[in-house]
C-alpha cells in the first residue's frame, strides 16, 4: 500500500445472536426463558458470543499503535465511507466478507473466523491470532492475495451495484416477475419473454451458496466458474410457461464480455446483491438492467 496517510484498519462485524436476543427481550433471564421454550440453551448462545468477542479483542490488539482505526456494523455498511488506505478486517461468518466486498474498490480484506469449524471458512480464512502478523505484510504490499471475481448490475439510468456472491433481479417479494430476457454471448444473441420468481447471476464464489441450491435442479446446466475466473453463472427461478412466456432460457454461463439483460415488464422489480435487500435499486416498467463481470475484484488476504 502507498500514500502519505498511515493505514486505517476498519473492523467489520455483525451483532451476535446474544446481542439480538438482548435487544429484543431486554435481559438474559428473559432471553433464556425464550430459548428454553424452543428447546435451546442460552449457554450455547453465550459461548458463541464470547468467541466473537475474543476474536474482536485479538484483532484490536493486533493493530499497530500508530495506525488509524475504525469499526462498522454490517447494517451500517451502505452509509460507511471507506478510504483508499483502509485495510478491512471482517470478523464473522463467510457472508460478512461478501457483505462488505460490494462497497470496496480494491482494498485488501482479511477474513477472520471467530468459530473455526462452524463456518465453512471459504472467505474467513484467518484466525484472530494471525492478524498481528498479517497487517504489516498487507501495508508493505507483501501479503499473499487471492483475487475473486465479482458480478455487476448496471441500470440504464446509470445506477450500478456489485456483488461477490450473486445479484438477484426480480420482484421485491419474490413473487412472479415479468420481463424480457436477452442473452448476449458466443455470437448467438437469444431472447425470451418470461414470468418467474427472479433471476440469480452468480460468481464462482457464489456458486457454493444460493446458486448451488438452484443448480441442483439443473443437471444439464454448464458448470459454474472458479472463484478467480472472470465468468458468471446464471439461473432463472421457477420460470412459468404460458402462451406469452417461455421456459427455454433458464440457465447459462457468461464469459468475458458476455452479458445478460433484463427489461422490466411489470412493476415492483428490484436488483440487490449478496442478500442486502435494503441496499437495492428498483426497476420500473421498461427499464433495462445489464448483468456482467464487474471490472474490479475482491483482494482477499491469505493466511
Amino acid at each position: 500500500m502507498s500514500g502519505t496517510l498511515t493505514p486505517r484498519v476498519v473492523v467489520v462485524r455483525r451483532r451476535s445472536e446474544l446481542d439480538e436476543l438482548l435487544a429484543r427481550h431486554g435481559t438474559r433471564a428473559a432471553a433464556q426463558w425464550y430459548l428454553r421454550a424452543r428447546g435451546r440453551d442460552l449457554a450455547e448462545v453465550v459461548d458463541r458470543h464470547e468467541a466473537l468477542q475474543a476474536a474482536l479483542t485479538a484483532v484490536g490488539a493486533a493493530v499497530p499503535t500508530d495506525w488509524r482505526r475504525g469499526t462498522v456494523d454490517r447494517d451500517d455498511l451502505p452509509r460507511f465511507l471507506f478510504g483508499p488506505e483502509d485495510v478491512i478486517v471482517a470478523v464473522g461468518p463467510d457472508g460478512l466478507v461478501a457483505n462488505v466486498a460490494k462497497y470496496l474498490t480494491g482494498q485488501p480484506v482479511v477474513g477472520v473466523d471467530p468459530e473455526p469449524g462452524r463456518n465453512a471458512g471459504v472467505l474467513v480464512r484467518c484466525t484472530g491470532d494471525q492478524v498481528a502478523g498479517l497487517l504489516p505484510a498487507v501495508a508493505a504490499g507483501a501479503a499473499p492475495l487471492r483475487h475473486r471475481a465479482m458480478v455487476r448490475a448496471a441500470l440504464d439510468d446509470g445506477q450500478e451495484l456489485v456483488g461477490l456472491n450473486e445479484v438477484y433481479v426480480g420482484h421485491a417479494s419474490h413473487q412472479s416477475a415479468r420481463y424480457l430476457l436477452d442473452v448476449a454471448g458466443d455470437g448467438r444473441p437469444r431472447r425470451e419473454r418470461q414470468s418467474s420468481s427472479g433471476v440469480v447471476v452468480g460468481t464462482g464464489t457464489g456458486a457454493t451458496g444460493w446458486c448451488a441450491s438452484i443448480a441442483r435442479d439443473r443437471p444439464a446446466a454448464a458448470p459454474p466458474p472458479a472463484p478467480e475466473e472472470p465468468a458468471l453463472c446464471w439461473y432463472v427461478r421457477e420460470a412459468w410457461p404460458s402462451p406469452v412466456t417461455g421456459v427455454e432460457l433458464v440457465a447459462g454461463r457468461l464469459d468475458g464480455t458476455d452479458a445478460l439483460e433484463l427489461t422490466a415488464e411489470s412493476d415492483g422489480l428490484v436488483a440487490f446483491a449478496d442478500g442486502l435487500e435494503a441496499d437495492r435499486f428498483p426497476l420500473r416498467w421498461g427499464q433495462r438492467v445489464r448483468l456482467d463481470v464487474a471490472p474490479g475484484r475482491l483482494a482477499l488476504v491469505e493466511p
Side-chain angles (χ1 to χ4, degrees), residues 2-235:
S2 61
T4 57
L5 290 175
T6 58
R8 180 177 67 161
V9 172
V10 178
V11 177
V12 182
R13 59 158 295 174
R14 62 181 299 174
R15 295 197 302 173
S16 68
E17 185 180 6
L18 179 62
D19 291 331
E20 294 173 346
L21 285 167
L22 292 177
R24 187 183 313 141
H25 300 286
T27 67
R28 289 200 178 193
Q32 183 173 359
W33 181 88
Y34 173 83
L35 291 174
R36 280 182 176 174
R38 288 154 180 79
R40 297 186 61 195
D41 190 347
L42 182 65
E44 175 199 351
V45 175
V46 171
D47 287 345
R48 297 190 62 198
H49 174 82
E50 291 178 347
L52 174 61
Q53 294 304 310
L56 289 168
T57 299
V59 169
V63 180
T65 56
D66 59 337
W67 286 25
R68 295 171 296 141
R69 299 168 181 246
T71 303
V72 58
D73 188 83
R74 174 187 183 271
D75 294 339
D76 295 324
L77 285 171
R79 296 175 293 277
F80 190 85
L81 181 62
F82 290 97
E85 304 293 333
D86 288 346
V87 178
I88 317 304
V89 181
V91 185
D94 290 300
L96 190 60
V97 175
N99 293 153
V100 70
K102 61 180 293 185
Y103 301 106
L104 303 179
T105 53
Q107 295 94 329
V109 178
V110 181
V112 175
D113 187 352
E115 299 178 90
R118 185 180 184 94
N119 297 309
V122 176
L123 299 174
V124 285
R125 299 174 57 79
C126 307
T127 65
D129 294 337
Q130 293 175 310
V131 175
L134 287 171
L135 291 181
V138 173
L145 299 176
R146 188 174 185 182
H147 293 90
R148 290 181 174 245
M150 302 183 72
V151 52
R152 173 178 61 178
L155 200 56
D156 56 9
D157 63 3
Q159 296 184 77
E160 288 191 2
L161 59 80
V162 297
L164 177 61
N165 283 334
E166 71 278 315
V167 167
Y168 166 84
V169 182
H171 198 278
S173 66
H174 297 255
Q175 67 186 41
S176 181
R178 295 176 68 93
Y179 53 86
L180 181 63
L181 180 75
D182 284 278
V183 186
D186 301 326
R188 298 182 296 111
R190 293 164 289 167
R191 169 177 288 191
E192 186 172 66
R193 182 164 278 105
Q194 294 183 341
S195 176
S196 77
S197 55
V199 180
V200 177
V201 183
T203 65
T205 300
T208 62
W210 194 2
C211 288
S213 64
I214 303 174
R216 288 175 61 88
D217 298 326
R218 315 289 172 88
E228 304 90 347
E229 192 176 357
L232 305 171
C233 52
W234 60 271
Y235 305 97

